[in-house]
């Protein structure tokens, strides 16, 4: 910014234009436009709850702590997506599978049930 002011001062004294002045002015104007749009931003709040009926949540998990995983499932199910699919991959984890079954048994009314699947091959990039 200090360089810009020096160049403006030089322009006033000698009428010598510097390309950096144009670049800085462009960046400053662009920043102003972004800033004023950001001030006016409001999150979108839809009244039509039908949109949630087209939402799927896919959760790949490997050896997650059970209390953390349960908390995540509750937060996701509370949003009421159309389906929640849990893919347990890697070594067999009976704790996660039992948690998914117990989660569906004790599910509050209006929450989305969980489908769980197990795959023995860990990783997202299986060949």
């Amino acid at each position: 910014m200090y360089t810009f002011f020096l160049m403006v001062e030089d322009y006033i004294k000698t009428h010598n234009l510097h390309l950096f002045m144009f670049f800085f002015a462009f960046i400053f104007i662009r920043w102003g436009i972004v800033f004023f749009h950001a001030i006016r931003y409001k999150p979108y709040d839809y009244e039509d709850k039908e949109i949630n009926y087209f939402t799927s949540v896919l959760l790949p998990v490997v050896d997650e702590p059970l209390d953390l995983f349960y908390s995540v499932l509750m937060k996701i199910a509370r949003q009421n997506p159309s389906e929640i699919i849990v893919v347990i991959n890697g070594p067999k984890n009976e704790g996660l599978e039992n948690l998914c079954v117990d989660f569906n048994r004790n599910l509050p009314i209006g929450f989305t049930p969980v489908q769980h699947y197990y795959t023995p091959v860990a990783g997202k990039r299986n060949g």
Side-chain angles (χ1 to χ4, degrees):
M1 187 115 177
Y2 180 70
T3 305
F4 176 73
F5 288 130
L6 289 177
M7 291 182 181
V8 169
E9 181 184 18
D10 184 47
Y11 175 73
I12 292 171
K13 289 179 181 177
T14 65
H15 298 291
N16 187 14
L17 282 176
H18 299 275
L19 291 178
F20 182 75
M21 288 175 56
F22 294 113
F23 174 72
F24 187 83
F26 169 75
I27 295 299
F28 195 72
I29 291 169
R30 183 186 177 282
W31 177 85
I33 292 169
V34 170
F35 176 75
F36 289 115
H37 280 290
I39 286 176
R40 293 182 24 215
Y41 172 77
K42 292 181 185 127
Y44 181 71
D45 186 27
Y46 60 90
E47 296 295 325
D48 184 15
K49 300 297 182 188
E50 295 289 322
I51 294 173
N52 277 346
Y53 293 126
F54 302 108
T55 307
S56 297
V57 178
L58 181 64
L59 284 167
V61 294
V62 178
D63 294 332
E64 296 293 329
L66 296 179
D67 56 342
L68 176 67
F69 182 61
Y70 181 80
S71 172
V72 168
L73 281 179
M74 282 302 286
K75 289 177 183 177
I76 292 172
R78 188 178 299 131
Q79 300 293 321
N80 199 18
S82 59
E83 62 182 349
I84 301 173
I85 302 170
V86 175
V87 179
I88 304 167
N89 57 26
K92 190 87 167 157
N93 193 330
E94 303 262 339
L96 289 175
E97 290 180 11
N98 292 337
L99 188 131
C100 290
V101 171
D102 291 340
F103 182 82
N104 285 337
R105 280 191 202 134
N106 303 324
L107 194 64
I109 295 174
F111 283 36
T112 305
V114 173
Q115 304 170 32
H116 70 281
Y117 301 97
Y118 168 72
T119 175
V121 181
K124 295 186 280 186
R125 294 170 188 88
N126 302 330

